[in-house]
Amino acid sequence: GLPVQVGVLAQLDLTTAESSRWFFITWMTTGVFSFGLALFTRQPVSVNLSIPVMIFLAGAAGGFSLPQILGANLVVGMVAIGLSALKLTEVFSRLVPPQIALAVFAGSILAFMVKTTGLAVTDIAVSGPVIGGYLLGLTATRSQLVGVAVAAAVGFVSAVLAGGAPEIGNSVAMPEMGFSAIEFSPVAIIALGIPILVLTVGVANIQALALLRSEGYRVKADCYGLAAGATTVMNALGGGQAAAL
């Protein structure tokens, strides 16, 4: 999600301060809420920024100002909290068969897998060392985890050697903290808020709940939905985007 977010923030033509706040609040709330949720539930569940939402914003949010985008996100968060408070998250998650939810999830990542496979052939200068590093780590230790770690390290080094180290500049700095300006535009709420609500509450959350249930966990759907909605509210107030399970 990190390179996708960086690309979307650049495409939205935000100022340095706005991008810094957006980046900071989304990753900080992801860490804090995910840690608390996993600690409280003892289940492998997290709250994270949604890649489909980022891609949607890149294509649909160009005609709206940042305060209007944040206003739509804030409405999404409040609606998500309301649905969970009314115990409707559990109802919605039960209406969709887990097989359908998991099939939609598989379809959503298929494009990423196809693109990755294509790049493994067309960009062999980067993919070759990654594949070689994985096979080396796997052969030496018989551990897939070690193989992935070696592949990541070798791939990073090869990418830097091939294209040079990225220029960090002033990126490594404390963000300018504060509440962002928010505007409740009916057009933005309809054009952005409704699709974002569908992508987070109606798709991502239901997929996550279905996956947990398929692994035998007893899911507290409304508790999880409340956490995701609260994260979205915090993100909007801090200048960021909607979150999902």
Side-chain angles (χ1 to χ4, degrees):
L2 177 59
V4 177
Q5 185 187 39
V6 172
V8 171
L9 292 180
Q11 188 168 335
L12 290 177
D13 197 25
L14 304 181
T15 66
T16 301
E18 291 168 344
S19 297
S20 176
R21 284 196 295 267
W22 187 312
F23 185 89
F24 172 80
I25 192 64
T26 50
W27 288 102
M28 179 59 71
T29 55
T30 289
V32 172
F33 277 84
S34 296
F35 180 82
L37 195 60
L39 189 66
F40 175 73
T41 64
R42 294 293 194 273
Q43 295 183 3
V45 61
S46 66
V47 182
N48 209 329
L49 62 167
S50 169
I51 292 180
V53 168
M54 286 190 287
I55 296 174
F56 169 75
L57 287 175
F64 299 95
S65 66
L66 179 61
Q68 291 173 336
I69 296 173
L70 299 180
N73 289 338
L74 183 57
V75 170
V76 169
M78 292 188 296
V79 172
I81 291 175
L83 292 174
S84 298
L86 295 174
K87 300 188 182 301
L88 293 178
T89 302
E90 177 70 33
V91 174
F92 292 152
S93 67
R94 295 287 185 183
L95 288 177
V96 180
Q99 295 86 349
I100 299 297
L102 293 177
V104 173
F105 173 71
S108 66
I109 66 172
L110 180 60
F112 292 98
M113 297 179 67
V114 170
K115 186 174 182 180
T116 303
T117 304
L119 289 174
V121 177
T122 59
D123 198 359
I124 194 67
V126 174
S127 62
V130 172
I131 297 171
Y134 175 77
L135 294 176
L136 178 64
L138 182 65
T139 302
T141 64
R142 301 296 180 183
S143 170
Q144 293 182 349
L145 180 60
V146 174
V148 170
V150 174
V154 173
F156 177 78
V157 172
S158 63
V160 170
L161 293 176
E167 295 183 6
I168 298 176
N170 297 323
S171 298
V172 182
M174 292 298 293
E176 298 178 13
M177 299 300 296
F179 291 106
S180 300
I182 292 178
E183 177 184 344
F184 293 103
S185 166
V187 176
I189 291 173
I190 294 174
L192 300 179
I194 293 178
I196 290 174
L197 183 67
V198 172
L199 288 172
T200 53
V201 177
V203 178
N205 289 3
I206 290 180
Q207 289 175 353
L209 296 172
L211 182 59
L212 285 171
R213 287 196 174 104
S214 71
E215 295 295 330
Y217 291 100
R218 298 182 63 182
V219 176
K220 301 176 181 179
D222 293 307
C223 173
Y224 297 163
L226 189 65
T231 306
T232 297
V233 170
M234 289 290 294
N235 285 354
L237 294 175
Q241 69 193 65
L245 297 176

